[in-house]
Amino acid sequence: MLSTKRAKSVEVRSKPGRIYTVLTTLGREIAQGIIPAGAVLPPECDLESRLGVGRGVIREAIKTLSGKGLVSVRPRHGTRVLPRRDWSLLDRDVLNWLVGQENPDRELLLAVQEVRSIIEPAAAALAATRATKTDLLRINAALTAMEASDSQATATAADKAFHLAILDATHNPVLQGFRGAIDTILSAVFVVAVDSVDGWFDGNLPNHATIARAIEERDATKARDAMEQVLGYTQTHLSKPKAGTRRRAGRTGAGRTLSQT
């Protein structure tokens, strides 16, 4: 009896993990076109056998996919994959499935950059009028970390912290709702950037510093303009074709091959 209770307890605790694993597997296959738009997912019994989970796990994962706009569930018609236009493209999971790959979709990255160019300059301007002392400390700490970064990992983390701190400094809950999307897209942009032109990181650093100063000086116009410069710099380089050889992130003598977004 005791062993049975323990087994059930382990099953209950591990079920969310199994649901997320199935969700991620199916989500990636849909996002990458392995299961194309218009296709019907295999029957639940086939998915159970293939993925090694129970029917309840399969149903919960499909319910979440439906909530993210990837599939439509209709009785007697099965679970059908919807076209990309119906997907929640700013959802953290969906974006990660689409661009969190070794070879991200550059066209999608450019599309998201366009959205960033609408949102983030306005966010920087709002931050200049609303940032608290704590917000300013976070923004400047992130800038300092960017200046001190010596690897792709530290540069990515610092750059994310900088942009997310500015979103938070708007104190607008709707704008803060874009945190997950921007966090995910910055990681993908770095993957592409490392394969592109040298000098992105150093070349765009002064623009980031200008944003931080403008917010501290409460100059909304200057903050907006500087953020437009940051995003325009990234947009230009993302539009360039991929380099023939992959460059490693890190310092190289007096320069760096890191990218900055």
Side-chain angles (χ1 to χ4, degrees), residues 202 251-256:
D202 286 333
R251 295 182 185 274
T252 319
R256 290 185 283 186

Side-chain angles (χ1 to χ4, degrees), residues 116 141-164 182-183 185-191 193-194 199-202 204-205 208 248-251 256-261:
R116 289 183 66 197
L143 178 63
T144 298
M146 290 171 72
E147 293 170 339
S149 62
D150 59 1
S151 69
Q152 182 181 347
T154 57
T156 303
D159 203 359
K160 284 182 179 182
F162 183 86
H163 288 273
L164 297 181
I182 289 177
D183 187 318
I185 207 66
L186 284 175
S187 294
V189 167
F190 261 82
V191 171
V194 170
W200 280 27
F201 198 88
D202 286 333
N204 212 9
L205 185 55
H208 285 74
R248 293 183 180 274
R251 295 182 185 274
R256 290 185 283 186
T257 61
L258 292 173
S259 308
Q260 198 172 70
T261 52

Side-chain angles (χ1 to χ4, degrees), residues 46-198:
D46 290 352
L47 291 175
E48 289 176 52
S49 177
R50 175 197 161 195
L51 300 172
V53 296
R55 184 160 300 185
V57 170
I58 296 295
R59 287 181 175 176
E60 285 298 321
I62 289 176
K63 180 180 178 181
T64 302
L65 287 174
S66 176
K68 295 177 185 294
L70 273 68
V71 300
S72 172
V73 183
R74 296 176 59 193
R76 298 187 297 279
H77 289 83
T79 301
R80 190 174 300 276
V81 177
L82 296 172
R84 183 184 287 191
R85 65 175 178 270
D86 293 326
W87 301 358
S88 300
L89 290 178
L90 292 180
D91 179 273
R92 184 192 293 266
D93 287 333
V94 177
L95 266 179
N96 190 55
W97 298 332
L98 284 164
V99 301
Q101 310 167 32
E102 185 176 348
N103 297 304
D105 184 332
R106 191 181 291 259
E107 288 187 6
L108 180 63
L109 288 181
L110 288 169
V112 177
Q113 282 296 116
E114 288 183 350
V115 176
R116 289 183 66 197
S117 72
I118 296 169
I119 295 170
E120 291 197 68
L126 275 178
T129 64
R130 298 178 179 177
T132 64
K133 289 183 179 179
T134 300
D135 293 327
L136 295 175
L137 287 173
R138 285 183 59 202
I139 293 168
N140 285 312
L143 178 63
T144 298
M146 290 171 72
E147 293 170 339
S149 62
D150 59 1
S151 69
Q152 182 181 347
T154 57
T156 303
D159 203 359
K160 284 182 179 182
F162 183 86
H163 288 273
L164 297 181
I166 291 173
L167 277 183
D168 288 342
T170 67
H171 296 278
N172 180 307
V174 178
L175 284 172
Q176 290 169 347
F178 286 94
R179 293 181 94 261
I182 289 177
D183 187 318
T184 300
I185 207 66
L186 284 175
S187 294
V189 167
F190 261 82
V191 171
V192 175
V194 170
D195 278 337
S196 301
V197 181
D198 286 341

